[in-house]
Amino acid sequence: MYDYDVIVIGLGPAGMAVSVMASEMGLKVCGIEKNRIGGECMNVGCIPSKAILRFAKKYQILKEFSVTDALKTDIFKKPFADISQSLQFIADKKTMGMFEKVKLIYQQGEAQFIDPHTIKVGDQQITGKRIFICTGTRPALPNLSGLKEIDPLTNENLYSLEEIPESMIVLGSGAIACEMAQAFARLGTKVSMVFRGKGLLWREDKEVGTLLEESLINNGVTLYKNAIMKQFTKEDNQTILELEDGTPIKAQKVLCALGRQFDSSSLNLEKTGVKYTEKGITVNNYLQTSQEHIFACGDINGHYQFSHAAMHQGMIALMNCFIPAFFKMNFKKYPVPWTIFTEPQISRVGASLAQLEKDGIAHEVITVRYGDYGAAIAEKIETGFVKVAVNKWGKILGVTIVGEGSGEMINEWTMAIQNKHSLIKIMLQQHSFPTMGFLSKRVAEVWMMKKMKSDKLKNICRSIFNFYK
């Protein structure tokens, strides 16, 4: 007999989904969290980063209209205190209430396996029939001389800054790097962005990276492409990053946004027989580890490192506990959308154009631009496009949206791909007008109009039309 039906280690997005759902299903659940409930996303990731982006956008608008008095207030010079208060309110008044039916072992230390069914936290030892590992990852730091001495920022301590720095070096070219480079540049920081790639988002459609680079440069960000970092040194209150070609870059702060790193050292996985690699804990299509009663959900398994993917995996993993083997749900079959919340917003779901071309998959691309849409023109948001890759029958292979509201618009396309809908379904669905989402319908209409250029199809339509009286 076990102490609990379910033990959840880590109460970030994945762990919260498992523990709350399981408790509502009537299972006896124990949730273990060594730091803060909500995990990285709520406390030092998605939520605070979007808050600082919002502050930056307000700052930019006030600056454009020369509302200089407002820009000097603490709300803009020291926005992190306000963000911290909001996060505390969410934690105290919203999040904790979700765990009324969950036994919490909260901020009492690391969870360690004693054996495949037994967990130790401090002096407590508990057993569980099924165990879900949802401990996430940590920021990856480069192995560079002088880095530790300069006390670099990561997403874990960035939002603890007391005020906006005068200058900042941002290492990386991913979502966090792009979002924070733009946000701090708009708030008045002199930002230098350093990365090894040939351009931003170079794995995506070339136009995507070009638009984002132009936007960042217009905000005052200096881009150092194809840069190989050599070492860091300190000079008074400044940090100097020396590149391999000898170029020195000076700044007050350095933000490392170079991806995530798997770390399971505290879990004592050797006691369980659970297999893992340097990329994460190995799971099958049903999110089971090499021990079928132990699941690994979210960043910890190395698949799709997004908060929404972690929540989804937690839900799928728990549901698979109730489903016979033949009917279990394969988490890899669900398309995963993503969004970078810069301006312009960038979103994609399904295959990228570069991937389709690399794999030699026949496709055509339908593009509709914001600048050709009356509502976007009137609202002065003409930058952006919707690009949809389809096969000749209209099956949706991949969608890229750049522009206002793309993070909302991409959800419709995710649903369409997940349910194997063609562009005909999108065309026949009514879309509220004049929203930016109406551009999705336009894509389907453009595709259909291209089809109607076929003389053969025109003759068929004419014959059918004349057949009926």
Side-chain angles (χ1 to χ4, degrees):
M1 193 69 178
Y2 301 106
D3 298 323
Y4 295 94
D5 298 312
V6 171
I7 296 176
V8 182
I9 306 173
L11 296 176
M16 290 175 67
V18 174
S19 55
V20 174
M21 284 181 62
S23 65
E24 289 296 332
M25 290 176 173
L27 301 178
K28 188 177 181 182
V29 181
C30 179
I32 303 169
E33 174 53 56
K34 66 177 181 179
N35 292 321
R36 288 178 286 181
I37 286 178
E40 180 174 335
C41 177
M42 178 176 294
N43 298 293
V44 293
C46 326
I47 304 301
S49 67
K50 304 310 163 283
I52 197 67
L53 281 165
R54 180 70 67 177
F55 271 110
K57 185 166 185 176
K58 290 177 181 177
Y59 187 97
Q60 185 82 356
I61 292 170
L62 291 172
K63 187 177 178 181
E64 288 176 2
F65 286 93
S66 300
V67 188
T68 54
D69 290 341
L71 300 179
K72 298 175 183 178
T73 61
D74 279 352
I75 195 74
F76 288 111
K77 294 172 68 176
K78 301 179 180 181
F80 303 105
D82 185 84
I83 293 172
S84 179
Q85 288 181 358
S86 297
L87 295 177
Q88 194 63 51
F89 173 81
I90 295 168
D92 294 343
K93 304 298 183 182
K94 303 296 181 181
T95 309
M96 292 302 292
M98 299 166 63
F99 292 88
E100 292 178 350
K101 300 176 184 178
V102 177
K103 165 64 178 176
L104 289 178
I105 301 179
Y106 189 38
Q107 297 181 342
Q108 296 181 39
E110 306 267 13
Q112 291 185 317
F113 280 95
I114 302 300
D115 61 47
H117 284 278
T118 308
I119 304 290
K120 181 181 180 183
V121 185
D123 297 329
Q124 300 180 69
Q125 194 163 297
I126 57 175
T127 59
K129 182 176 182 179
R130 290 191 175 88
I131 299 174
F132 294 78
I133 305 173
C134 308
T135 50
T137 53
R138 59 184 176 84
L141 296 176
N143 185 20
L144 284 175
S145 173
L147 180 64
K148 292 182 180 178
E149 287 71 24
I150 67 167
D151 191 23
L153 296 169
T154 67
N155 69 294
E156 291 183 341
N157 58 4
L158 175 64
Y159 308 106
S160 298
L161 287 172
E162 291 186 2
E163 58 186 13
I164 301 298
E166 294 179 4
S167 54
M168 177 184 288
I169 297 170
V170 178
L171 308 181
S173 59
I176 295 174
C178 292
E179 290 175 358
M180 293 303 95
Q182 185 173 69
F184 279 91
R186 285 181 160 185
L187 288 167
T189 302
K190 181 182 177 182
V191 177
S192 300
M193 201 170 178
V194 182
F195 51 94
R196 296 192 64 166
K198 57 188 176 182
L200 295 177
L201 307 180
W202 57 272
R203 290 187 180 89
E204 302 299 320
D205 181 321
K206 186 177 180 181
E207 190 177 2
V208 174
T210 299
L211 281 174
L212 182 54
E213 287 183 20
E214 289 175 355
S215 179
L216 291 178
I217 291 170
N218 288 338
N219 288 140
V221 178
T222 302
L223 303 179
Y224 291 85
K225 305 178 186 180
N226 296 307
I228 300 177
M229 297 174 284
K230 184 178 179 182
Q231 64 180 3
F232 287 95
T233 55
K234 289 284 285 186
E235 184 180 286
D236 298 326
N237 68 335
Q238 294 280 300
T239 293
I240 303 174
L241 168 60
E242 183 183 343
L243 303 183
E244 201 168 79
D245 65 4
T247 302
I249 307 172
K250 294 184 179 182
Q252 185 181 358
K253 295 289 184 181
V254 175
L255 171 63
C256 286
L258 294 165
R260 310 295 302 171
Q261 183 173 329
F262 167 70
D263 182 9
S264 65
S265 56
S266 64
L267 289 170
N268 210 13
L269 290 178
E270 288 70 23
K271 296 285 187 178
T272 66
V274 167
K275 296 179 181 178
Y276 61 92
T277 69
E278 62 180 13
K279 294 183 179 180
I281 294 176
T282 304
V283 295
N284 62 14
N285 291 338
Y286 314 120
L287 293 158
Q288 293 168 299
T289 67
S290 49
Q291 292 281 359
E292 64 178 16
H293 72 282
I294 300 178
F295 297 77
C297 308
D299 286 12
I300 194 72
N301 64 38
H303 293 275
Y304 316 120
Q305 294 185 340
F306 303 108
S307 298
H308 51 279
M311 296 177 208
H312 189 264
Q313 288 178 25
M315 177 183 70
I316 294 293
L318 180 62
M319 292 176 70
N320 278 338
C321 294
F322 298 86
I323 299 173
F326 185 76
F327 299 101
K328 288 187 186 297
M329 293 182 284
N330 180 351
F331 81 102
K332 295 177 184 176
K333 288 189 174 181
Y334 294 87
V336 181
W338 55 260
T339 298
I340 298 177
F341 292 86
T342 48
E343 193 170 332
Q345 271 187 21
I346 298 166
S347 302
R348 178 166 64 78
V349 67
S352 68
L353 299 183
Q355 191 63 49
L356 290 172
E357 291 166 7
K358 180 182 176 182
D359 294 343
I361 297 174
H363 65 280
E364 63 174 311
V365 179
I366 311 300
T367 303
V368 171
R369 299 191 177 277
Y370 279 55
D372 295 327
Y373 180 40
I377 295 170
E379 295 178 41
K380 309 298 183 187
I381 47 174
E382 300 168 58
T383 299
F385 56 79
V386 181
K387 286 188 180 181
V388 181
V390 295
N391 68 9
K392 64 179 180 180
W393 305 110
K395 177 185 177 182
I396 303 161
L397 305 175
V399 181
T400 300
I401 307 177
V402 177
E404 181 88 5
S406 76
E408 304 294 338
M409 293 161 65
I410 203 68
N411 295 321
E412 174 183 2
W413 292 102
T414 304
M415 176 73 81
I417 293 175
Q418 183 169 309
N419 290 285
K420 298 180 172 56
H421 291 167
S422 72
L423 281 184
I424 294 173
K425 290 270 190 180
I426 299 293
M427 185 181 71
L428 293 176
Q429 176 186 324
Q430 294 195 48
H431 289 67
S432 181
F433 181 85
T435 61
M436 295 306 115
F438 196 83
L439 288 166
S440 295
K441 180 178 175 64
R442 279 207 169 171
V443 167
E445 291 172 344
V446 168
W447 174 78
M448 181 57 75
M449 292 304 102
K450 285 180 69 175
K451 291 293 183 187
M452 292 309 302
K453 290 181 179 180
S454 163
D455 290 335
K456 182 178 180 180
L457 188 56
K458 287 179 180 178
N459 289 334
I460 292 173
C461 290
R462 189 178 296 111
S463 297
I464 294 174
F465 181 82
N466 291 328
F467 177 80
Y468 293 103
K469 295 180 180 179

